[in-house]
Amino acid sequence: MNSNPHAPGFPANPPQKEGWQLVFQEEFEGTAFDERKFLPYGLAHWYGPGENEAAYELRDSCLVLQLPDAQKRISAVATGMRDGLHRFWEQLELRRHVRPAMNLVTKYGYFELRAKVAKGSGINSAWWMIGFENQLQQNAEVDIFEVLGKDTHVMNSTLHALRDPKLKYEHQPYRAETDLSGGFHVYGFEWDENGMAFYLDNQKIWQTNQSPDYPMVTLLQINESDGGWVGELDPAVPYPKEFAVDYFRVYKREGMPLELFPAETAQEGENLARSAVAGSGTDIVWGDLYEAKSHICALNDGNPDTCVLSKPGIPAPHMYYLDWMEPKSFNTVRFTLASDCHCEWAVEVSANGLDGWIQVTDQRSALKEPDSGSGHLVYKANSRSSRGQKPCD
């Protein structure tokens, strides 16, 4: 069904696309925001409560992201999120814990969006994707479009390699004949193992043979600032400032992975940590932005030599968590500590990962033995079933 086909601008495409299978769609036709599709916030863990939540309306079969006043500088939604994802600035530190979600964390496909961008200097309307960082280097950013309100004839598309050594920075501005803020337009993004292609109103405008080879998360966002790349804020542009999205669709063709989020399975007796979404508390050293020697995926990367560092001078307890999308059963937790490290720790479990934590074991009930390879101390503790596990160091 076409979502709001009579909105001005380039007409909506039909949902079915020849040669492709529709695997995910949000037409925004209901009266309630569906958090099974999009989360009503963006990179919320880097912000205080309320700062990164979306201000929006569901209007005329569209999601209308808003900046309602001068105090609200960003409004975003996302198809997945986890603590520490996309540390885009060295000075960022975790401000709060947000439950991990994986509504759409996928690799490859054809992604399509029909949207009307905002006009006015200082405003940016954006559709972008970021790696889910299951490994340290899987953090590239793909800006499918950023349309700056100071010149809404230009669609900016950018690949930021960040820590991915297989990629390099690439930027392509495309000047459209029409003002993109004057109506709705169809934006497309085709991505496979051979590269990426970018479309405007069903016409390919550029392509590259570079391609992130790992699952990514989708974000839709309107933001403003005063100065810099987006331009000086125009005080004559009234609030609310709006970025309207008519629909969002994802297609796969034969041979592409069809799952909406990466399937991580473990056989009985194998390490369940690798299939978990990992995170850590606000008291952790997150390391260099590009080196990321201490980072979100350290707890589930399968490398026993990976370290997570606590901040100097920060009193205990320090918090780390592992979270599974479905309940998991395990009977052993293994910690490796530096041989000169003396600390107390406990393992807690929670059904929802937010509250109701129950302690199931600690260092007093664990077996302690030296690791033959490193000389570090290894604790092996018995535990029980868990959806969320929070070891406290």
Side-chain angles (χ1 to χ4, degrees):
M1 167 176 197
N2 278 358
S3 174
N4 196 17
H6 303 297
F10 193 85
N13 285 331
Q16 301 307 316
K17 191 178 296 293
E18 185 177 357
W20 296 87
Q21 177 183 347
L22 181 63
V23 297
F24 183 94
Q25 68 182 125
E26 177 56 278
E27 306 289 328
F28 302 111
E29 292 184 339
T31 58
F33 188 89
D34 188 352
E35 293 191 29
R36 297 169 301 176
K37 302 287 184 67
F38 281 90
L39 308 172
Y41 51 81
L43 302 169
H45 42 276
W46 301 131
Y47 297 83
E51 289 184 76
N52 201 250
E53 275 76 11
Y56 66 88
E57 291 183 3
L58 293 173
R59 188 176 73 224
D60 299 328
S61 296
C62 292
L63 170 67
V64 184
L65 292 172
Q66 297 178 322
L67 302 177
D69 52 48
Q71 281 66 53
K72 183 73 170 174
R73 287 299 181 96
I74 182 171
S75 189
V77 297
T79 63
M81 200 52 58
R82 63 199 281 185
D83 285 357
L85 193 66
H86 199 62
R87 185 168 176 262
F88 57 89
W89 186 39
E90 290 286 0
Q91 281 68 41
L92 283 176
E93 295 187 354
L94 284 178
R95 300 282 299 279
R96 56 185 170 134
H97 166 54
V98 178
R99 277 299 310 280
M102 299 171 68
N103 298 344
L104 176 72
V105 183
T106 197
K107 181 171 75 170
Y108 304 151
Y110 185 85
F111 303 74
E112 186 172 285
L113 182 80
R114 186 170 185 254
K116 182 177 183 290
V117 301
K119 189 177 186 65
S121 184
I123 308 173
N124 180 28
S125 303
W127 171 21
W128 52 304
M129 298 176 72
I130 53 177
F132 202 59
E133 301 187 42
N134 285 320
Q135 297 179 21
L136 290 176
Q137 296 174 341
Q138 296 181 348
N139 80 321
E141 173 186 336
V142 180
D143 300 322
I144 296 146
F145 72 72
E146 290 182 279
V147 179
L148 306 182
K150 66 182 182 180
D151 187 353
T152 49
H153 283 263
V154 177
M155 171 182 165
N156 293 282
S157 301
T158 311
L159 169 62
H160 297 276
L162 299 180
R163 290 194 305 270
D164 191 332
K166 294 176 290 187
L167 303 174
K168 62 181 180 180
Y169 174 84
E170 195 168 358
H171 173 70
Q172 181 67 45
Y174 174 79
R175 175 163 289 276
E177 294 182 1
T178 185
D179 183 346
L180 298 175
S181 70
F184 284 80
H185 292 270
V186 174
Y187 301 87
F189 173 62
E190 186 175 3
W191 169 33
D192 63 22
E193 66 275 14
N194 298 313
M196 302 180 293
F198 300 76
Y199 294 79
L200 175 62
D201 293 338
N202 298 337
Q203 300 296 315
K204 184 188 296 186
I205 59 175
W206 80 286
Q207 66 182 41
T208 175
N209 61 4
Q210 297 197 82
S211 173
D213 61 355
Y214 38 82
M216 304 190 85
V217 173
T218 296
L219 296 99
L220 309 175
Q221 176 176 310
I222 181 173
N223 60 277
E224 72 173 13
S225 60
D226 192 2
W229 187 51
V230 299
E232 294 185 3
L233 196 62
D234 185 351
V237 178
Y239 293 96
K241 301 171 183 180
E242 297 183 338
F243 171 37
V245 179
D246 185 16
Y247 63 73
F248 175 73
R249 301 167 183 163
V250 180
Y251 302 82
K252 302 276 189 172
R253 65 168 177 259
E254 186 176 354
M256 287 182 170
L258 292 178
E259 66 267 18
L260 300 183
F261 55 88
E264 293 284 351
T265 59
Q267 301 298 318
E268 185 175 355
E270 289 184 347
N271 186 354
L272 294 178
R274 297 195 69 171
S275 60
V277 178
S280 52
T282 59
D283 41 23
I284 303 305
V285 175
W286 285 75
D288 177 83
L289 178 61
Y290 296 99
E291 296 285 337
K293 294 176 181 177
S294 175
H295 200 58
I296 182 172
C297 43
L299 295 180
N300 65 346
D301 68 356
N303 182 356
D305 295 324
T306 297
C307 295
V308 177
L309 306 177
S310 57
K311 293 179 183 176
I314 302 295
H318 302 302
M319 306 294 184
Y320 317 95
Y321 74 77
L322 297 173
D323 185 278
W324 293 270
M325 296 297 110
E326 299 294 335
K328 300 290 184 183
S329 296
F330 55 88
N331 56 20
T332 303
V333 178
R334 183 179 187 270
F335 293 108
T336 302
L337 302 176
S339 56
D340 59 350
C341 178
H342 302 283
C343 65
E344 296 182 359
W345 53 265
V347 175
E348 300 175 348
V349 298
S350 166
N352 62 13
L354 289 176
D355 52 30
W357 293 96
I358 301 171
Q359 180 172 314
V360 295
T361 192
D362 60 24
Q363 83 286 347
R364 290 183 294 272
S365 59
L367 297 174
K368 182 174 69 173
E369 59 188 37
D371 179 76
S372 58
S374 65
H376 295 336
L377 294 178
V378 176
Y379 288 88
K380 292 182 180 179
N382 292 331
S383 186
R384 62 175 184 251
S385 297
S386 168
R387 174 167 180 171
Q389 167 198 338
K390 184 176 68 173
C392 306
D393 183 3

